[in-house]
C-alpha cells in the first residue's frame, strides 16, 4: 500500500515536468516549445533557430493585447533571496490568429533589436533552462521551465544553426 502511494505521488509530480516542453527538429530548423507552469495549455514560450534567419523567441497567449503594440519584458529572479540583474528586452505584441469567436491568439516577440532574442535565450540557458518574466500588458508574471534533455538538444541544434547562419550572411 505504501509503495503504491509513493509511486502515485512520484508519478503525479514528475509527469507535468516531462510534458512541460517539446523539442522538434528538421533539417535546418529547430524549435523548443515550453508551456507556462500555471497556464499549461494557454501560454507557451517558443524558441526557434534556423540556418536561414536569426534566433527568435515568442510567447503565444490568449491575453487580449492592443495589436500591434510594444513594451518591455523583464527577466526576474526565480529565487527571492537571489539578486539577479533585471534584464529588459523590447517586445512587440501582435495578433497571431483568430481561431473562432471565443479563441484569439496573440504573439509577443522578444527582442525586436538585433541579438536580443539570442541574449534572452542565453540567459534562459544560463539559468538552468528556466526563467520568470514580467511583460508589459500582462498582469501576471510568467514562469517557464524546460525539460533539461529537450533544452540541451535544442541548444546544440541552435549552435549549429547559428554557425550556418553566420556563414550565409558573410
Amino acid at each position: 500500500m505504501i509503495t503504491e502511494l509513493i509511486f502515485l505521488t512520484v508519478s503525479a509530480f514528475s509527469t507535468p515536468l516531462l510534458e512541460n516542453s517539446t523539442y522538434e527538429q528538421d533539417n535546418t530548423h529547430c524549435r523548443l516549445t515550453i508551456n507556462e507552469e500555471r497556464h499549461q495549455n494557454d501560454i507557451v514560450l517558443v524558441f526557434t533557430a534556423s540556418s536561414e534567419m536569426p534566433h527568435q523567441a515568442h510567447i503565444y497567449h490568449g491575453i487580449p493585447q492592443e495589436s500591434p503594440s510594444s513594451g518591455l519584458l523583464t527577466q526576474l529572479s526565480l529565487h527571492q533571496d537571489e539578486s539577479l540583474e533585471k534584464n529588459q528586452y523590447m517586445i512587440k505584441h501582435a495578433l497571431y490568429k483568430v481561431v473562432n469567436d471565443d479563441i484569439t491568439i496573440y504573439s509577443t516577440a522578444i527582442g525586436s533589436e538585433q541579438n536580443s532574442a539570442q541574449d534572452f535565450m542565453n540567459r534562459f540557458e544560463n539559468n538552468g533552462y528556466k526563467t520568470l518574466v514580467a511583460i508589459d500588458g500582462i498582469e501576471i508574471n510568467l514562469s517557464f521551465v524546460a525539460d533539461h534533455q529537450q533544452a540541451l538538444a535544442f541548444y546544440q541544434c541552435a549552435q549549429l544553426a547559428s554557425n550556418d547562419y553566420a556563414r550565409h550572411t558573410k
Side-chain angles (χ1 to χ4, degrees):
M1 173 84 171
I2 291 179
T3 304
E4 292 173 8
L5 183 60
I6 291 171
F7 176 75
L8 288 173
T9 303
V10 170
S11 296
F13 286 106
S14 63
T15 300
L17 290 177
L18 295 174
E19 297 175 355
N20 205 41
S21 60
T22 56
Y23 169 67
E24 301 168 49
Q25 177 182 351
D26 61 28
N27 297 331
T28 60
H29 186 79
C30 36
R31 178 172 58 201
L32 179 66
T33 303
I34 309 152
N35 295 344
E36 203 279 336
E37 285 194 310
R38 291 157 299 179
H39 307 281
Q40 288 283 312
N41 297 319
D42 297 327
I43 302 173
V44 296
L45 170 62
V46 179
F47 292 150
T48 55
S50 169
S51 60
E52 291 105 29
M53 62 184 172
H55 295 345
Q56 296 182 345
H58 288 86
I59 297 174
Y60 296 96
H61 54 85
I63 301 167
Q65 300 292 311
E66 186 176 321
S67 181
S69 63
S70 59
L72 287 176
L73 175 143
T74 305
Q75 258 181 319
L76 305 167
S77 172
L78 291 166
H79 308 288
Q80 292 178 341
D81 59 336
E82 181 182 304
S83 62
L84 174 74
E85 177 186 333
K86 291 183 179 178
N87 302 300
Q88 294 189 319
Y89 303 94
M90 292 297 300
I91 54 171
K92 290 190 178 180
H93 297 294
L95 175 64
Y96 178 69
K97 181 186 244 183
V98 176
V99 178
N100 59 37
D101 291 338
D102 297 330
I103 301 173
T104 301
I105 302 170
Y106 296 90
S107 169
T108 298
I110 300 168
S112 54
E113 63 274 357
Q114 186 176 2
N115 295 328
S116 289
Q118 178 68 52
D119 184 59
F120 179 82
M121 291 166 63
N122 290 344
R123 291 180 190 278
F124 182 80
E125 179 181 28
N126 292 338
N127 288 333
Y129 308 119
K130 55 189 170 187
T131 194
L132 179 67
V133 297
I135 300 174
D136 286 351
I138 297 178
E139 292 182 22
I140 57 173
N141 290 341
L142 305 175
S143 176
F144 299 96
V145 180
D147 173 79
H148 183 78
Q149 294 297 343
Q150 292 173 353
L152 187 59
F154 169 79
Y155 279 93
Q156 289 171 347
C157 175
Q159 182 61 48
L160 294 173
S162 182
N163 294 343
D164 287 346
Y165 179 74
R167 279 194 298 259
H168 286 92
T169 58
K170 286 185 177 181

